[in-house]
Amino acid sequence: MALKIWLNGSLVDEADAKVSVFDHGLLYGDGVFEGIRVYNGRVFELDAHLRRLYESARAIRLPMAMNRQELADAVRTTVKANAITDGYIRLLVTRGIGTLGLNPFVCKESCLIIIASRIQLYPEELYEKGMKVISATTVRNHPLAVPPQVKSLNYLNNILAKIEALDSDVPEAIMYNHEGYVAEATGDNVFMVRTGIVYTPPVEAGSLDGITRAVVMRLAIQEGLKVVEKNLTRCDLYICEELFLTGTAAEVIGVVEIDGRVIGAGTPGPITRLLREKFDNYARQEEK
Ligand code: PMP
């Protein structure tokens, strides 16, 4: 079924949802975005996603045409128009139409797009068996270059690492920052377990302030687990008991091998399983 796309203030048919070749989102990756889940007809953590979107926009001096409440309404309208009860929303704001020069300020109006669609999931088997990853040689963007906290349309840094993963026949790669500490995966945050303690790198290590990350940290604390934000090295990942990734699309997924080294018993460990189950229940619960 053809989708209805929100484009600059109204819903249009998918076939009519077009942007200009002079849009700086296309020409320069100049813009910001969010990926958001819909579970049981509810938009998951919408406030947190919108906060991050507005912060990303502010960081790159991208004016938003709507306030947060209006945007929340537009998201829900788009979800409804496409009868999505379980799916994925891609919300993007580009700098808009400009010239062939870099200058963002010649772009008079930003362009806002909301796509509400189904989601392509990793196969269930991958969650049961756990995934393999590699360490990328591509270093995560320096915080004074393209700040990793900004969810910008420019994902080349992550794409280069993803290519390394795919060249090695694994779905994901761990990215390290310019100091050699773990930053994140190409589209997910990283957690590890050692002596029963759950560790994740601080956002300053070069990761996105993941919404799933925050929910999982909260759920882990509720389960009585100790959660520590700390710089992690590649060696820490090699010797940990459990390793898992979190993200809107992947949710919580265990990692069982990194750079050919087996983690723990070679299957997703007990804490990974527990947090996956708790996340699943929390996200899909009927009433909050
Ligand atoms: N890091 C990167 C680079 C990402 O693209 C994403 C997901 N979009 C994440 C982490 C996970 O963030 P979230 O849980 O908010 O989806």
Side-chain angles (χ1 to χ4, degrees):
M1 204 184 73
L3 296 174
K4 293 275 187 202
I5 311 290
W6 182 281
L7 180 62
N8 294 328
S10 56
L11 285 166
V12 297
D13 286 333
E14 186 180 321
D16 301 321
K18 295 187 173 140
V19 293
S20 164
V21 293
F22 290 100
D23 192 300
H24 279 207
L26 174 68
L27 289 174
Y28 296 114
D30 186 352
V32 295
F33 78 103
E34 283 295 319
I36 312 170
R37 281 268 203 157
V38 184
Y39 292 110
N40 282 339
R42 261 197 325 267
V43 183
F44 187 63
E45 299 286 310
L46 181 58
D47 283 352
H49 280 286
L50 292 184
R51 176 174 306 118
R52 188 169 70 186
L53 182 77
Y54 278 78
E55 286 175 355
S56 291
R58 189 174 163 79
I60 68 163
R61 293 184 58 189
L62 174 62
M64 298 286 291
M66 291 179 168
N67 66 32
R68 259 158 70 173
Q69 188 52 53
E70 289 165 341
L71 188 49
D73 291 343
V75 167
R76 293 203 176 92
T77 300
T78 311
V79 167
K80 234 186 196 160
N82 290 284
I84 301 291
T85 50
D86 285 275
Y88 181 84
I89 302 161
R90 176 58 56 93
L91 170 48
L92 52 141
V93 187
T94 78
R95 187 75 67 175
I97 298 170
T99 63
L100 290 179
L102 278 182
N103 186 350
F105 302 128
V106 300
C107 304
K108 291 283 172 270
E109 263 176 278
S110 58
C111 168
L112 185 112
I113 300 165
I114 308 170
I115 305 166
S117 185
R118 321 257 163 236
I119 184 160
Q120 270 279 292
L121 300 167
Y122 281 134
E124 189 53 38
E125 201 195 355
L126 204 57
Y127 289 92
E128 277 152 31
K129 291 192 173 163
M131 66 157 70
K132 297 178 181 180
V133 302
I134 56 148
S135 293
T137 63
T138 304
V139 171
R140 188 76 180 103
N141 282 331
H142 191 285
L144 293 176
V146 183
Q149 267 164 279
V150 174
K151 199 164 167 60
S152 88
L153 289 181
N154 193 322
Y155 254 51
L156 260 187
N157 183 224
N158 312 54
I159 290 167
L160 292 177
K162 184 83 173 181
I163 287 171
E164 291 186 56
L166 298 175
D167 280 347
S168 302
D169 283 329
V170 298
E172 258 296 355
I174 305 293
M175 301 185 76
Y176 299 84
N177 67 21
H178 57 286
E179 292 180 308
Y181 294 114
V182 176
E184 59 184 342
T186 69
D188 297 301
N189 289 108
V190 176
F191 285 78
M192 65 160 232
V193 179
R194 194 164 168 209
T195 59
I197 298 169
V198 178
Y199 293 95
T200 190
V203 169
E204 308 87 81
S207 68
L208 189 71
D209 196 351
I211 312 280
T212 320
R213 174 184 182 272
V215 170
V216 167
M217 287 168 81
R218 227 165 49 222
L219 294 172
I221 291 164
Q222 274 172 23
E223 289 306 304
L225 291 162
K226 189 169 176 194
V227 180
V228 178
E229 288 180 82
K230 171 175 141 19
N231 273 327
L232 302 173
T233 63
R234 186 169 62 184
C235 183
D236 287 326
L237 303 189
Y238 286 174
I239 62 177
C240 72
E241 291 147 15
E242 297 184 39
L243 184 58
F244 61 91
L245 308 179
T246 65
T248 292
E251 303 179 316
V252 178
I253 188 157
V255 174
V256 292
E257 201 179 296
I258 174 167
D259 300 336
R261 290 151 169 90
V262 173
I263 293 160
T267 53
I271 292 178
T272 305
R273 286 175 185 280
L274 173 75
L275 293 176
R276 173 159 178 74
E277 187 198 321
K278 293 291 165 193
F279 181 82
D280 203 57
N281 292 344
Y282 177 76
R284 292 179 171 80
Q285 69 193 345
E286 292 300 331
E287 293 297 330
K288 283 221 166 135

